[in-house]
């Protein structure tokens, strides 16, 4: 199940592609005590999806995606805690606007470079934001985090409850919209040309494609999606900590994405689910061995299963089909 | 005025010492990136390992300081060869993403292992008696150990440059950096060359980590925390050169020390911004060849 | 006849190495022109200078009467300059028809559309299929490039460039790496190209050069040694010296 934008790919939404939504809805009713974990997973799926757009489709490897996640989280949080804007829609919009600007500005700089330099710049930009958030205590709360965030009922109707029911539905709905837009993008001519750039940058230039502009567009869209995910985290937790901007956060996200499978949309769904459930069960008991295991897992995936869990499933399915014939 | 001049001298002095360390650690990264095109984010792991080996050799094995430095270099170089043969070599032809993820995986593992063995606290460095004191010059005190770092670093750099300019090994490395296919076609065994270069670069990182353990504290978060700086040195200096990263390391060492001294509230912010501006102006770095 | 592509005093130096040495070159409209020369003569570099992939150290490039020396690759492509690569430069993970479609969409100016599904632009795919059919490759349209025989990959290389409908076509060793029993297919394709396209072909296969080209330029050490009709070239003693390796310094 690879989803590559191209001029011959049918954009019809297949039956299997509805499974995440069925599971998402079913989980609400079947696992009510896990709703807060569920909401967090949904947020990270959106975050991973935004990363898949740049890494998996446009082929830009970034170590600083947390910059946008964190910026979105802080934008929503600051708007509420410092300016008293409690409307959740406005908070999301503020996060989107901030990330769009930041994506354009930083993308224009970093996309002129390649390789190690690009990696370094993405890292440096995230580090700058982290420094700023850390030092500008009066606005961000610094190392203590930003609290005092108020989120008004959605549309004036749905209050954020203690059990996280509203938050869960909000995250699911926003993720749905984010997924739908991303999917449209990937199947569009624009998405096809992103894949072209990933496959062969030089050739895309040689057929006259405005490569830099395409990459900047993709990067900015991804930034906005990541920002929305960040803002959702703020609304769900009503708190923002510095860790949303950390390198570890970007690194973990990369792990989730590669675990599910890069450049296939649904890798961004499978990865966070597996990772975060495992983390919930194991990380607290064995913190040391947890990061050792993650490292080992990464190395093993890169060496033996570069297309992630979904890639393995694809291969198994192909094998079974061959046997059946 | 007098006061300001004095602090200027002091900043320059500490900055140069720090820059030396940055260079010794990062130069290997620049060369492996230029030579093999491998985005080795785990380079800092070798530096950290060098630091831990130093403190362990001093405190537990009771080795004298110079020998401990040598052990750090040798053990890290040897360890890196094993890693190169077993793991890195499989990924030379792989894409950037695979290399990045693989090396991040190594960082995760190294960090966890360091924490398991040594705990999260930073390792104290017990310098030999002769290096503990101050060194008096023009009425100002300079820590003797930093003087040692600068002198030792300078001779190391001189030796390294001489080696790469004058020896057969160096000529092969330069040829392969310039044009790998050409080098292969004139009979250079690039596989062995990669291995040797990788070992040397990692060994130097280990040595740099050991040498600088008193400046850049040895703790499990080391490879993540200082990664940006190592990458800045390489990106600003330019890939595949020896001189570029040297200039970059000194500039960054001094600038960082100056920032921390005069405007500590800005932290590393100014360095990052300056780096971004510089790369806007010259995307291939100061001494790099435009792609 | 009129010149569609011209260079004046074109120079390129890599450090101390001069790879293009004051090249004055003219390609006529509808030309069938070959550029030959020993390995490392600077032929590929010359093509890169023409397309703007490399910037010249000095001199100028004139395309259709307009000085394009300062224009980007993209601007030159828009003015009808197409090229193929000496070493295949394809979208290896995509199918043959998708490779060609990308170029068709780019030329038609529809490749930046954001939300409409690409497959709804059936005119793009139809044109790509039509082009493949004309090259005798319709059967391979769905094959992923990585699984395609090298000789056929060379044809895709040409197909992508043709999809851009160039007025001037620069072919960098189109038959390189193709088994000799298959080179005739490449030649057939070349023969079938529209006559109004001006073609510059770089090629080491002398049979192919002499069958195809009406005019030949020889490049040695970055400088033009000789230009003339195939007959003139074949008769010139200097050519044999160059190719037999007895270079006169
Ligand atoms: N980017 C570069 N930097 C330095 N030297 C280069 C560069 N590109 C090409 N060269 C050198 O320029 C010379 C000409 O190379 P070019 O590829 O143009 O030759 P060519 O005539 O196409 O050869 P071939 O027949 O082998 O394809 C060669 O000596 C090559 O090594
Ligand atoms: Mg060539």
């Amino acid at each position: 199940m690879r989803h590559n934008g191209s001029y011959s790919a049918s954009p019809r939404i297949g039956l299997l592609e509805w499974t995440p939504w069925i599971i998402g809805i079913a989980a609400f009713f079947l696992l009510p005590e896990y709703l807060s974990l569920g909401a967090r997973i949904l947020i990270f799926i959106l975050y991973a999806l935004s990363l898949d757009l740049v890494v998996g489709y446009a082929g830009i490897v970034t170590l600083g995606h947390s910059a946008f996640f964190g910026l979105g989280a802080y934008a929503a949080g600051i708007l509420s805690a410092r300016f008293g804007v409690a409307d959740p829609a406005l908070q999301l919009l503020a996060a989107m606007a901030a990330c769009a600007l930041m994506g354009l500005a930083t993308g224009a700089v970093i996309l002129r470079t390649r390789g190690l330099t690009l990696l370094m710049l993405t890292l440096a930009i995230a580090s700058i934001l982290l420094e700023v958030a850390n030092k500008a205590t009066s606005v961000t709360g610094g190392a203590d985090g930003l609290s005092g965030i108020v989120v008004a009922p959605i549309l004036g109707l749905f209050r954020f409850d203690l059990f996280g029911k509203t938050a869960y539905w909000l995250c699911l709905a926003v993720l749905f919209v984010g997924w739908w837009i991303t999917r449209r993008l990937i199947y569009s001519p624009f998405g096809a040309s992103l894949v072209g750039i990933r496959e062969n940058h030089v050739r895309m230039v040689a057929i006259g494609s405005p490569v830099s502009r395409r990459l900047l567009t993709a990067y900015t869209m991804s930034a906005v999606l990541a920002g929305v995910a960040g803002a959702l985290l703020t609304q769900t937790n009503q708190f923002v900590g510095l860790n949303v901007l950390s390198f570890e956060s970007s690194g973990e996200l990369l792990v989730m994405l590669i675990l599910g499978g890069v450049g296939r949309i649904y890798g961004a769904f499978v990865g966070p689910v597996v990772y975060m459930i495992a983390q919930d069960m194991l990380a607290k008991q064995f913190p040391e061995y947890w990061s050792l295991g993650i490292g080992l897992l990464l190395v093993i995936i890169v060496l033996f299963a570069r297309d992630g869990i979904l890639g393995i499933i694809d291969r198994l399915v192909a094998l079974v089909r061959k046997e059946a014939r | 005025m007098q006061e300001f001049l004095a602090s200027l001298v002091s900043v320059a002095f500490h900055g140069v010492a720090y820059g030396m360390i940055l260079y010794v650690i990062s130069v290997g990264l620049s060369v492996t990136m230029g030579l093999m095109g491998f985005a080795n984010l785990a380079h800092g792991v070798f530096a950290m390992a060098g630091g831990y080996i130093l403190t362990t050799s001093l405190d537990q094995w009771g080795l004298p300081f110079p020998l401990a430095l040598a052990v750090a270099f040798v053990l890290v170089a040897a360890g890196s060869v094993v890693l190169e043969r077993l793991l890195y070599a499989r990924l030379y032809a792989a894409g950037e993403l695979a290399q990045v993820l693989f090396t991040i995986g190594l960082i995760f593992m190294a960090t966890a292992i360091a924490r398991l063995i040594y705990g999260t606290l930073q390792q104290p460095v017990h310098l030999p008696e002769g290096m503990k004191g101050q060194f008096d010059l023009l009425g100002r005190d300079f820590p003797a150990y930093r003087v040692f770092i600068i002198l030792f670093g300078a001779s190391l750099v001189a030796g390294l440059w001489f080696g790469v300019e004058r020896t057969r090994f160096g000529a092969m490395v330069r040829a392969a950096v310039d044009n790998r296919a050409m080098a292969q076609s004139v009979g250079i065994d690039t596989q062995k060359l990669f291995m040797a270069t990788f070992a040397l670069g990692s060994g130097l990182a280990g040595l740099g980590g050991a040498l600088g353990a008193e400046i850049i504290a040895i703790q499990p978060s080391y490879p993540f925390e200082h990664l940006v700086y190592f990458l800045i040195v390489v990106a600003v200096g330019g890939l595949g050169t020896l001189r570029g990263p040297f200039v970059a390391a000194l500039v960054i060492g001094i600038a960082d020390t100056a920032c921390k001294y005069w405007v500590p509230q800005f932290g590393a912010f100014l360095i990052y911004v300056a780096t971004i501006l510089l790369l806007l102006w010259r995307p291939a770095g100061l001494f790099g060849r435009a792609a | 006849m009129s010149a569609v592509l011209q260079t004046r005093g074109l120079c390129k130096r890599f450090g101390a190495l001069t790879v293009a040495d004051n090249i004055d070159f003219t390609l006529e409209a509808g030309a069938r022109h070959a550029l030959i020369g020993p390995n490392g003569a600077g032929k590929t570099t010359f093509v890169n200078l023409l397309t703007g992939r490399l910037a010249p150290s000095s001199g100028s490039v004139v395309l259709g009467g307009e000085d394009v020396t300062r224009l980007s690759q993209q601007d030159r492509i828009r003015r009808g300059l197409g090229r193929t690569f000496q070493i295949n430069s394809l979208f290896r993970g995509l199918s043959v028809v998708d490779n060609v479609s990308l170029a068709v969409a780019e030329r038609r100016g529809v490749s930046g559309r954001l939300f409409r599904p690409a497959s709804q632009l059936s005119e793009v795919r139809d044109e790509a299929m039509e082009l493949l059919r004309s090259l005798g490759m319709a059967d391979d349209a769905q094959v992923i490039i990585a699984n395609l025989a090298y000789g056929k990959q060379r044809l895709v290389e040409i197909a992508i460039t043709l999809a851009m409908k160039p007025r001037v076509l620069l072919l960098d060793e189109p038959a390189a790496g193709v088994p000799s029993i298959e080179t005739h297919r490449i030649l057939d394709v070349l023969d079938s190209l529209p006559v109004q396209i001006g073609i510059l072909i770089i090629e080491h296969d002398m049979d192919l050069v002499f069958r195809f080209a009406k005019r030949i330029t020889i490049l040695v050490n970055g400088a033009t040694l000789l230009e003339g009709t195939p007959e003139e070239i074949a008769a010139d003693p200097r050519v044999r010296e160059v190719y037999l390796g007895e270079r006169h310094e």
Side-chain angles (χ1 to χ4, degrees):
Chain A
M1 259 223 318
R2 269 199 89 95
H3 292 266
N4 247 352
S6 82
Y7 288 86
S8 35
S10 159
R12 279 250 326 273
I13 298 178
L15 226 62
L16 260 181
E17 299 183 69
W18 293 109
T19 356
W21 311 111
I22 298 170
I23 295 176
I25 294 169
F28 177 84
F29 297 106
L30 300 180
L31 302 165
E33 65 272 41
Y34 287 107
L35 284 188
S36 77
L37 175 64
R40 227 157 23 90
I41 291 179
L42 294 173
I43 290 167
F44 270 81
I45 291 176
L46 185 60
Y47 186 18
L49 195 59
S50 77
L51 186 69
D52 203 19
L53 190 60
V54 277
V55 175
Y57 287 92
I60 310 163
V61 184
T62 166
L63 297 175
H65 214 50
S66 62
F68 302 115
F69 186 67
L71 183 65
Y74 273 108
I78 290 170
L79 194 68
S80 168
R82 302 283 178 252
F83 298 96
V85 179
D87 184 75
L90 283 180
Q91 292 168 356
L92 284 179
L93 280 178
M96 290 170 77
C99 288
L101 283 180
M102 183 63 105
L104 267 180
T106 58
V109 176
I110 67 156
L111 296 174
R112 292 158 47 105
T113 63
R114 325 215 67 204
L116 209 60
T117 307
L118 194 153
L119 288 172
M120 183 276 286
L121 286 176
T122 58
L123 203 54
I125 287 166
S127 307
I128 289 180
L129 289 190
L130 183 61
E131 285 274 337
V132 171
N134 187 20
K135 294 277 158 66
T137 15
S138 59
V139 185
T140 62
D144 296 335
L146 180 65
S147 44
I149 296 166
V150 180
V151 187
I154 301 169
L155 304 171
L157 294 174
F158 306 102
R159 187 175 301 284
F160 279 77
D161 55 304
L162 270 178
F163 310 101
K165 289 183 180 167
T166 311
Y168 186 88
W169 284 118
L170 176 67
C171 292
L172 192 63
V174 173
L175 173 62
F176 186 83
V177 175
W179 162 80
W180 194 81
I181 291 176
T182 310
R183 200 178 174 288
R184 278 303 267 210
L185 269 183
I186 284 165
Y187 278 93
S188 73
F190 173 79
S193 61
L194 284 188
V195 171
I197 295 168
R198 180 193 73 199
E199 292 283 320
N200 191 337
H201 190 277
V202 170
R203 190 62 193 227
M204 269 324 254
V205 174
I207 63 173
S209 178
V211 167
S212 322
R213 215 173 58 216
R214 296 272 154 80
L215 289 179
L216 185 57
T217 310
Y219 190 73
T220 306
M221 290 185 167
S222 160
V224 170
L225 280 178
V228 170
L232 284 179
L233 188 74
T234 301
Q235 294 174 338
T236 316
N237 291 351
Q238 317 208 335
F239 176 81
V240 189
L242 278 179
N243 59 330
V244 290
L245 281 164
S246 71
F247 174 51
E248 279 84 348
S249 147
S250 299
E252 263 193 333
L253 184 72
L254 271 169
V255 178
M256 292 185 214
L257 184 59
I258 183 97
L259 181 66
V262 183
R264 38 203 327 155
I265 302 183
Y266 299 100
F269 285 68
V270 173
V273 171
V274 174
Y275 184 95
M276 292 175 78
I277 291 179
Q279 189 181 37
D280 196 61
M281 297 195 301
L282 302 173
K284 297 222 179 59
Q285 282 99 311
F286 315 102
E288 300 313 329
Y289 294 99
W290 171 251
S291 63
L292 186 64
I294 290 302
L296 199 61
L297 182 73
L298 257 184
V299 170
I300 290 173
I301 291 179
V302 171
L303 288 179
F304 302 109
R306 214 166 288 165
D307 37 10
I309 293 177
L310 288 185
I312 295 174
I313 294 178
D314 272 358
R315 273 184 275 169
L316 287 179
V317 169
L319 208 69
V320 170
R321 286 216 180 117
K322 221 163 139 199
E323 290 291 306
R325 234 184 276 148
Chain B
M1 193 64 209
Q2 193 70 32
E3 189 66 6
F4 176 71
L5 268 184
S7 51
L8 209 62
V9 170
S10 169
V11 162
F13 170 75
H14 287 281
V16 169
Y18 180 37
M20 281 291 179
I21 297 298
L22 277 180
Y23 179 67
V24 176
I25 292 177
S26 311
V27 66
L29 182 59
S30 168
V31 175
T32 45
M33 188 66 204
L35 182 63
M36 312 169 205
F38 199 106
N40 182 17
L41 299 184
H43 192 71
V45 167
F46 298 124
M48 175 178 75
Y52 277 119
I53 292 172
L54 177 92
T55 54
T56 312
S57 332
L58 290 177
D59 301 346
Q60 288 174 25
W61 305 338
L63 296 183
F65 191 77
L67 195 59
L69 280 182
V71 168
F73 175 84
V74 172
L75 283 187
V76 172
S80 78
V81 168
V82 176
L83 280 179
E84 199 266 350
R85 280 294 91 205
L86 285 182
L87 301 172
Y88 281 82
R90 293 163 186 259
L91 294 173
Y92 284 151
E96 192 187 25
L97 180 63
Q99 299 177 349
V100 164
L101 289 167
F102 164 74
T103 49
I104 290 182
L106 287 189
I107 299 184
F108 271 116
M109 286 166 70
T111 305
I113 292 172
R115 216 179 298 145
L116 283 172
I117 303 179
Y118 295 98
T120 47
L121 294 182
Q122 68 184 58
Q123 294 295 106
V125 184
H126 302 292
L127 295 175
E129 282 309 317
M131 289 184 185
K132 270 186 187 157
Q134 302 284 318
F135 196 82
D136 184 77
L137 195 74
L138 303 173
R140 262 189 97 76
D141 282 342
F142 296 99
Y145 183 62
R146 307 261 161 139
V147 177
F148 168 74
I149 286 180
I150 293 176
L151 294 179
F152 185 86
S155 40
L156 201 67
V157 169
L160 189 67
W161 289 9
F162 182 83
V164 169
E165 295 293 340
R166 295 295 160 80
T167 63
R168 208 178 123 68
F169 171 71
M172 289 196 291
V173 173
R174 276 181 295 135
V177 168
D178 276 346
N179 189 333
R180 166 143 27 128
M182 186 79 95
Q184 242 153 357
S185 69
V186 299
I188 294 179
D189 182 344
T190 42
Q191 185 184 323
K192 272 205 194 111
L193 192 69
F194 282 5
M195 197 174 81
T197 315
F198 192 80
L200 181 65
S202 314
L204 282 174
L207 182 61
L211 203 58
E214 189 236 9
I215 298 181
I216 310 178
I218 300 300
Q219 55 194 20
S221 60
Y222 188 109
F224 273 133
E225 218 171 289
H226 304 288
L227 177 60
V228 195
Y229 271 49
F230 304 150
L231 290 179
I232 288 179
V233 169
V234 175
V236 169
L239 292 180
T241 85
L242 289 179
R243 270 148 231 248
F246 183 65
V247 175
L250 285 189
V251 170
I252 290 161
I254 294 172
D256 189 62
T257 311
C259 286
K260 289 199 175 122
Y261 189 85
W262 280 303
V263 279
Q265 67 275 24
F266 282 108
F269 182 80
L270 292 175
I271 301 278
Y272 295 142
V273 173
T275 303
I276 291 172
L277 292 180
L278 191 136
L279 287 168
L280 259 180
W281 169 51
R282 295 192 67 121
L286 282 178
F287 297 83
R289 286 173 300 186
Chain C
M1 272 210 248
S2 62
V4 283
L5 183 63
Q6 252 185 332
T7 68
R8 301 201 189 105
L10 202 61
C11 290
K12 179 69 187 180
R13 282 177 287 274
F14 290 118
L17 184 71
T18 301
V19 194
D21 189 359
N22 209 15
I23 301 178
D24 291 312
F25 175 84
T26 302
L27 190 77
E28 304 286 346
R32 297 293 183 264
H33 199 135
L35 181 68
I36 62 176
N39 288 112
K43 304 179 295 291
T44 300
T45 306
F46 182 60
V47 168
N48 286 337
L49 290 169
L50 294 176
T51 61
R53 193 160 176 225
L54 289 174
S57 308
S58 63
S60 59
V61 179
V62 178
L63 179 63
E66 181 191 2
D67 189 325
V68 296
T69 318
R70 311 222 153 273
L71 294 190
S72 67
Q73 293 187 65
Q74 216 196 325
D75 288 333
R76 298 186 203 197
I77 291 160
R78 238 178 257 138
R79 286 165 177 73
L81 186 63
R83 65 97 48 101
T84 65
F85 289 86
Q86 178 174 352
I87 296 166
N88 280 340
S89 180
L90 303 170
F91 308 106
R92 288 183 62 80
L94 305 183
S95 68
V96 171
V97 65
D98 282 340
N99 268 261
V100 179
S101 298
L102 280 173
V104 173
E106 215 59 69
R107 193 200 79 242
R108 286 175 169 256
V110 296
S111 62
R113 296 204 184 164
L114 281 176
F115 285 103
R116 199 163 152 212
S119 57
Q120 279 180 17
L121 298 169
S122 51
E123 67 274 16
V124 171
R125 213 172 116 82
D126 293 346
E127 187 184 326
M129 278 309 296
E130 190 49 47
L131 180 62
L132 288 175
R133 215 165 288 134
S134 74
L135 298 180
M137 291 204 62
D139 290 344
D140 297 313
Q142 305 305 331
V143 180
I144 304 292
I145 297 290
N147 303 331
L148 196 67
Y150 194 83
K152 288 183 173 170
Q153 289 189 20
R154 292 307 282 163
L155 286 175
V156 179
E157 181 77 36
I158 297 174
I160 291 179
T161 312
L162 288 179
M164 293 149 61
K165 298 222 165 121
R167 287 189 295 151
V168 179
L169 182 53
L170 312 173
L171 300 166
D172 196 352
E173 304 198 19
V178 179
S180 52
I181 37 167
E182 282 178 31
T183 46
H184 72 92
R185 271 194 82 176
I186 308 266
L187 197 62
D188 290 346
V189 166
L190 296 184
D191 281 335
S192 69
L193 295 178
V195 284
Q196 65 276 16
I197 300 184
I199 299 178
L200 176 68
I201 183 172
I202 296 173
E203 190 48 70
H204 284 299
D205 180 341
M206 284 305 134
D207 278 349
L208 206 155
V209 167
F210 279 92
R211 293 219 326 251
F212 178 72
K214 305 281 182 296
R215 210 164 171 78
I216 298 176
T217 299
I218 301 193
L219 198 70
V220 179
N221 291 332
T224 45
L225 176 74
L226 199 63
E227 182 177 323
T229 63
E231 294 74 35
E232 287 164 357
I233 298 292
D236 198 293
R238 282 175 292 177
V239 178
R240 301 190 56 194
E241 278 174 49
V242 169
Y243 272 90
L244 294 177
E246 314 156 7
R247 265 178 233 177
H248 41 182
E249 291 297 325

